[in-house]
Amino acid sequence: MSTKGDGTRAVRAGLPEPQQYEPTLPGPVFAAHYHLSGEPTGPYTYGRDSNPTWTHLERAIGELEAPGEEVETTVFASGMAAISAVLLSQARSGDAVVLPDDGYQALPLLRAQLEAYGVGVRTAPTGGDAQLTVLEGAKLLWLETPSNPGLDVCDVRRLVEAAHAGGTLVAVDNTLATPLGQRPLELGADFSVASDTKGMTGHGDLLLGHVTCRDPELAAGVRRWRKVVGAIPGPMEAWLAHRSLATLELRNERQCANALALAEALAKHQAVSGLRYPGLPADPSYANAVRQMRRFGSVVSFVLADRETAERFLSALHLVEDATSFGGVRSTAERRGRWGGDAVPEGFIRFSVGAEDAADLVADVEQALAAATGEK
């Protein structure tokens, strides 16, 4: 399987062995319990522990995360459930963990919970591999690369080498890149984690997350955490996610190409500052990105003059929805500062590039910028 291309693997991943007159992808299994006589030694005993629909999806994600390797994937009800499972299954009172201070907006909520449990939390920016400065003695290092929403990229191999030398585990939030853009386990990480709500499923119609590990013991801890807290996905969501993976390579290729085209167009616009896209040669993260990423993601960020200009820009867009989240086939954008919690200017725009025709999308953005800034 490892010699197959991304498109082939995405289309075929996780499918069961063919059965005469059965569908190639079995429908969702809705079951709270299963026929179970004698000792509970089979794979499916109770609906909070396991489900055949989860199994197919977990195998599929594992094949994308680490082609040709033996890994274990655990799916969760959301990205935050997956993130929490790693941190809270590994850290104990008295331990220290290292988080990015420019990561996903909900990480401060998790930090507060960790500290309430007696876990020390240290933070540093993603850019410049700054987390190295607070790494010593930590139980776990959490990387988010590219970071959301700032799009900084750290050198995963360098950080993993330093962490492992000191006995520190490493988890990488790979949400923005997806396994088609970056494979954290190949870069040495112990955990690859993602919110599959975003690019993995790509249609903005379900919540899901996953954790993939090579080490069976680490995977068992994550799976046990899911059982304890009950952070399980519904079978319909799991089935929809597996179905959506078949188009992952098609979506990802188009969206990344569109993102680069949009970034190149924005780079020429005098009203735009602070433009970030890891695939631009002029971007501060480009050198790291080309060493460890195979695609550069579907998110572009930039800054307009102020809050009012940003709001006018968003209102003038015709092909782009004003919505949060990212990674979907339909382009979305938002003024990120409306949520609070991110250290970004009031005019900061996070733009999630979809699968529209690039020329149409660029033209829409350019007319919206003209409308927002009063240009003719």
Side-chain angles (χ1 to χ4, degrees):
M1 198 70 177
S2 61
T3 60
K4 302 294 192 296
D6 285 344
T8 302
R9 288 187 298 105
V11 168
R12 307 290 311 174
L15 296 181
E17 290 296 318
Q19 299 291 329
Q20 187 77 340
Y21 310 121
E22 293 294 326
T24 54
L25 177 62
V29 174
F30 299 99
H33 57 262
Y34 306 85
H35 289 294
L36 185 65
S37 58
E39 297 300 316
T41 56
Y44 305 110
T45 57
Y46 184 61
R48 192 181 69 255
D49 299 338
S50 55
N51 178 291
T53 310
W54 303 350
T55 299
H56 295 316
L57 175 60
E58 289 170 342
R59 288 174 180 166
I61 293 173
E63 289 172 20
L64 297 174
E65 286 277 11
E69 296 187 42
E70 290 293 326
V71 295
E72 293 189 37
T73 295
T74 304
V75 291
F76 288 86
S78 69
M80 277 306 295
I83 292 169
S84 300
V86 174
L87 286 160
L88 295 172
S89 69
Q90 299 304 314
R92 303 287 185 271
S93 179
D95 288 340
V97 300
V98 176
L99 303 179
D101 64 13
D102 55 349
Y104 179 52
Q105 185 194 37
L107 278 181
L109 301 176
L110 189 50
R111 173 181 182 169
Q113 191 62 62
L114 287 164
E115 290 174 336
Y117 289 154
V119 177
V121 179
R122 309 169 193 161
T123 64
T126 298
D129 299 340
Q131 288 169 283
L132 286 172
T133 64
V134 292
L135 182 59
E136 186 176 356
K139 176 67 179 293
L140 187 140
L141 168 64
W142 187 272
L143 305 178
E144 184 180 304
T145 181
S147 61
N148 171 32
L151 303 182
D152 275 319
V153 175
C154 61
D155 185 336
V156 175
R157 290 186 183 91
R158 180 187 182 199
L159 285 154
V160 165
E161 182 178 357
H164 286 175
T168 301
L169 297 169
V170 181
V172 176
D173 184 334
N174 201 41
T175 300
L176 198 145
T178 83
L180 297 193
Q182 180 173 263
R183 295 184 187 140
L185 299 185
E186 287 187 1
L187 298 173
D190 302 288
F191 304 90
S192 181
V193 190
S195 169
D196 301 318
T197 308
K198 314 296 195 300
M200 284 286 276
T201 56
H203 291 81
D205 54 8
L206 59 88
L207 297 176
L208 203 79
H210 81 267
V211 178
T212 302
C213 309
R214 278 200 187 93
D215 186 326
E217 186 175 342
L218 294 177
V222 169
R223 197 168 290 265
R224 180 180 179 278
W225 182 264
R226 182 181 68 179
K227 177 177 180 177
V228 168
V229 300
I232 59 172
M236 191 66 195
E237 285 77 11
W239 185 85
L240 285 169
H242 197 169
R243 182 207 60 175
S244 297
L245 286 182
T247 61
L248 174 59
E249 195 274 339
L250 294 170
R251 291 185 279 108
N252 196 259
E253 182 176 19
R254 178 65 169 265
Q255 288 172 262
C256 291
N258 282 358
L260 180 59
L262 178 61
E264 290 172 341
L266 289 168
K268 302 171 185 177
H269 205 289
Q270 61 183 9
V272 170
S273 64
L275 174 65
R276 297 300 305 272
Y277 183 65
L280 281 177
D283 190 273
S285 289
Y286 182 76
N288 274 339
V290 295
R291 283 196 297 268
Q292 66 193 30
M293 299 183 73
R294 300 160 66 238
R295 293 181 172 96
F296 302 110
S298 63
V299 178
V300 177
S301 68
F302 56 96
V303 180
L304 298 179
D306 49 36
R307 175 175 181 164
E308 291 72 26
T309 305
E311 295 289 0
R312 288 196 300 271
F313 167 73
L314 293 169
S315 296
L317 291 165
H318 301 303
L319 299 179
V320 182
E321 299 162 358
D322 189 345
T324 195
S325 198
F326 59 85
V329 291
R330 290 176 290 278
S331 291
T332 62
E334 68 172 338
R335 190 182 66 80
R336 192 63 190 162
R338 66 183 175 179
W339 296 100
D342 290 319
V344 296
E346 286 293 326
F348 182 96
I349 301 292
R350 184 181 70 180
F351 199 112
S352 173
V353 183
E356 299 88 356
D357 287 312
D360 294 336
L361 187 60
V362 169
D364 189 36
V365 168
E366 288 180 338
Q367 70 78 27
L369 284 170
T373 59
E375 295 180 2
K376 295 183 180 181

